[in-house]
Structure formats: structure tokens, C-alpha cells
Amino acid sequence: MTLLLKILYHCRMRCPACGNTEDKVLETRVTGNGDAIRRRRECIKCGFRFTSYERVEDKPITVIKKNGNTQVFDRNKVERSIRVCTDKRNISQETIENLVQSVEDSVKILAGSKHEISSASIGEEILRQLYNVDAVAYVRFASVYRAFNNVNQFIDEIKSLSPLSP
């Protein structure tokens, strides 16, 4: 058995469907920017397929909220936000994953050596990147992030996008 196969054999993940720890790796890919390894797995017991990611752990980034409170940067919050605003849009899973990864990479760069970033900077970065992916998702995110409270704010945001529209 080669070293790689031995490593894969000993690195078992718990199946999210049945809890079994016996699985097989179907596919291994390095993410677009090389920061993570994505593995497609299949449970030996129930056949459920799932994805796992391996990432290098960095010093955690502290997010400074509007009210002054701090918390650790949570990639899952970014992913949830992006998934909500892209729901029912014709955007591939891979595009969403790349978008989340790109936002996380930008947050790390913006946080710099202090490992601190404002929640406003994260929101603006998500908007900046959504702008290039999908105008509807951009407006959906902007409406929540910027707390639109009337139709005119939607109209103004859409007018600002009009040069992009065909």
C-alpha cells in the first residue's frame, strides 16, 4: 500500500447520515487558490456521499462588530449569507464555493498582521465580489447588509447596477 493510500485509509471521517467512520475517498482536489483540499467521500455502510475540506489553520481573525464587541471570524457565516442571497439563482455550487473562498482570502489580506477586521469591511468585500457574480444576489445581500427600509433604496441600488445590465 502506498504512503498516500495509507494516509487516506487512516484519515476517516464520520458519515453525517449514519455516523459510521468507514468511508472511501472518491475524489481529491485542491481548491482553486490552493488553500484547501476538497475530498468527495462515500460511506461504506450507507452509501451517503459527502464532502470534507482540509485547511491549514492560521491565527484566528478577530471581527470587530459595529457595537464594539469582538468575535472570531466564522467562514460558515459568510457561506450562509452567500447561500441565502444566491438561493434559486442559476449559480453553480463550485462558483459559490469559490466565492466563499475568495471572500475568506480577501478578509485574511485585509485583516493584515493585526488579524483584526471590521464586520463592515467583510460586508463590503462580500458585496464587491457578488457584484461580479450576479446582480440579483448582490441586491439581495445589499438589502439586508445595508438594512433597506423602503423601495427607493432598492431602486437606487438597482440603478447603480444598470451599466452592468445587458
Side-chain angles (χ1 to χ4, degrees):
M1 195 181 279
T2 67
L3 180 60
L4 178 60
L5 288 177
K6 285 180 183 177
I7 291 169
L8 292 178
Y9 179 77
H10 293 291
C11 296
R12 299 288 183 200
M13 299 293 295
R14 185 172 306 279
C15 173
C18 72
N20 185 37
T21 57
E22 295 292 318
D23 65 59
K24 64 180 176 181
V25 175
L26 303 174
E27 175 186 28
T28 300
R29 287 189 183 179
V30 175
T31 58
N33 59 3
D35 284 352
I37 296 174
R38 174 183 178 265
R39 297 193 198 280
R40 288 291 297 151
R41 298 175 179 266
E42 182 176 23
C43 177
I44 300 294
K45 183 177 178 184
C46 71
F48 184 77
R49 290 184 175 196
F50 58 100
T51 303
S52 65
Y53 290 89
E54 296 175 29
R55 290 185 175 78
V56 173
E57 287 193 22
D58 293 327
K59 180 179 175 190
I61 295 172
T62 302
V63 178
I64 303 166
K65 308 289 278 181
K66 289 179 186 176
N67 64 6
N69 290 343
T70 61
Q71 67 183 65
V72 174
F73 174 75
D74 185 355
R75 181 183 202 278
N76 293 325
K77 282 186 176 183
V78 171
E79 184 173 3
R80 277 192 307 273
S81 297
I82 290 173
R83 288 195 184 282
V84 166
C85 71
T86 58
D87 188 37
K88 298 185 182 177
R89 300 293 301 148
N90 191 20
I91 301 172
S92 73
Q93 181 72 24
E94 185 177 1
T95 300
I96 291 171
E97 289 172 6
N98 289 339
L99 183 60
V100 171
Q101 186 63 52
S102 182
V103 168
E104 182 180 23
D105 293 343
S106 295
V107 164
K108 287 177 183 177
I109 291 168
L110 292 169
S113 62
K114 290 184 177 182
H115 298 280
E116 290 183 348
I117 189 168
S118 69
S119 58
S121 295
I122 295 171
E124 290 299 324
E125 184 59 27
I126 293 171
L127 279 173
R128 188 183 71 73
Q129 295 206 25
L130 278 172
Y131 186 85
N132 298 319
V133 173
D134 186 81
V136 172
Y138 171 89
V139 172
R140 285 178 176 175
F141 186 84
S143 70
V144 174
Y145 172 68
R146 294 187 176 144
F148 291 177
N149 54 22
N150 65 55
V151 152
N152 291 333
Q153 290 174 307
F154 278 96
I155 292 169
D156 292 342
E157 196 68 43
I158 291 168
K159 283 180 181 176
S160 74
L161 293 175
S162 60
L164 293 179
S165 303

